[in-house]
Amino acid sequence: MNSEVQMVVFDMAGTTVDEGKIVYKSVQQALAESGVTISLTQVLEIGGWNKKEGIRHLLNTYSPSEVSPEKVDQVHQRFLEIASAAYATGEGIQEMPGATEVFRELKSRGIKVVLDTGYFRDMANVLIDHMGWKKHELIDYSVTSDEVERGRPYPYMIQKAMEQLEVHDPAKVIKVGDTLSDIEEGKNAGCGWIIAIASGAISAEKLMENKPTKVIHELKELLELIN
């Protein structure tokens, strides 16, 4: 990579935020309360997705007879309640190693720092406020899946961030994330570099199958790639 990089778009949960898979456990609990019992591994299939779309997918896959718009809304609303309550305590939620250091260094180089996420805005704000990233001016913009037409793997969140920050060439954008849908989002947006981080949800080998530019294991490795 080179100094042509103008913006880096980071996923949140599993990439910059270590939240102990609260979001996936909350989806699992909301589904169970509605009568649909699946494993956490199965829930992880929707990693990086807009969670309402993910819940619809899981219902279609594992309980197709249960699917209706009302059912999806019911499970999604319960998911929001469970996850919001868990996030409100702040217990077990911390940044991924090196996140603040990486954000600060990128900004010192004049590179825009963006967060995009499958969360809805209210939940994203809880995490961003908890980390203090906005307060300390470490991020330039954040965008959530409810603020665009479709979430990942569609490119709309990246495109919205580019528009807001006046970055006109996607080839000068890096996408960083820990899920297959992050990789696809970066490809669909035409990002010049797509960096997958093997932080635990998906193995490095599996991530490589989707052909990102590079797989890393820690955020600090990103700085070594941008010269």
Side-chain angles (χ1 to χ4, degrees), residues 158 170-175 185-194 213:
I158 293 175
K172 297 181 179 181
V173 176
I174 299 174
K175 167 62 187 175
E185 177 193 26
K187 289 179 180 180
N188 290 335
C191 292
W193 302 273
I194 302 165
T213 310

Side-chain angles (χ1 to χ4, degrees), residues 3-146:
S3 57
E4 296 267 317
V5 176
Q6 294 182 352
M7 184 172 87
V8 182
V9 181
F10 295 90
D11 170 49
M12 290 183 65
T15 300
T16 55
V17 178
D18 179 358
E19 42 81 87
K21 296 186 174 61
I22 287 173
V23 66
Y24 301 108
K25 293 175 182 176
S26 299
V27 169
Q28 183 185 30
Q29 181 179 336
L31 286 167
E33 290 181 6
S34 75
V36 180
T37 302
I38 62 175
S39 70
L40 188 59
T41 298
Q42 290 168 321
V43 176
L44 287 170
E45 293 173 13
I46 65 167
W49 292 36
N50 170 298
K51 295 307 176 283
K52 189 169 187 178
E53 293 176 3
I55 286 168
R56 182 180 294 110
H57 168 78
L58 292 172
L59 286 170
N60 274 319
T61 302
Y62 297 107
S63 186
S65 63
E66 299 277 338
V67 181
S68 68
E70 294 75 20
K71 180 79 168 185
V72 172
D73 287 343
Q74 171 199 340
V75 175
H76 181 254
Q77 182 57 42
R78 182 58 184 140
F79 151 71
L80 291 175
E81 293 168 356
I82 296 166
S84 296
Y87 283 147
T89 69
E91 293 181 11
I93 300 174
Q94 58 191 345
E95 70 171 46
M96 295 293 283
T100 289
E101 177 183 339
V102 170
F103 292 169
R104 185 174 288 120
E105 177 61 23
L106 290 174
K107 287 183 66 64
S108 76
R109 301 184 192 184
I111 297 171
K112 303 292 187 185
V113 174
V114 172
L115 300 176
D116 79 341
T117 178
Y119 292 128
F120 278 22
R121 171 52 63 187
D122 288 349
M123 292 179 63
N125 282 346
V126 170
L127 290 177
I128 292 171
D129 290 346
H130 182 74
M131 299 301 161
W133 291 331
K134 186 174 182 180
K135 175 183 176 182
H136 294 102
E137 299 182 342
L138 292 174
I139 59 173
D140 294 284
Y141 188 68
S142 66
V143 56
T144 61
S145 61
D146 60 321

Side-chain angles (χ1 to χ4, degrees), residues 6-7 112 158-159 161-173:
Q6 294 182 352
M7 184 172 87
K112 303 292 187 185
I158 293 175
Q159 291 171 346
M162 290 178 61
E163 179 181 352
Q164 291 295 315
L165 297 177
E166 299 184 342
V167 174
H168 305 294
D169 185 357
K172 297 181 179 181
V173 176

Side-chain angles (χ1 to χ4, degrees), residues 195-208:
I195 308 301
I197 181 165
S199 57
I202 300 176
S203 70
E205 293 74 21
K206 184 67 175 176
L207 291 168
M208 279 302 300

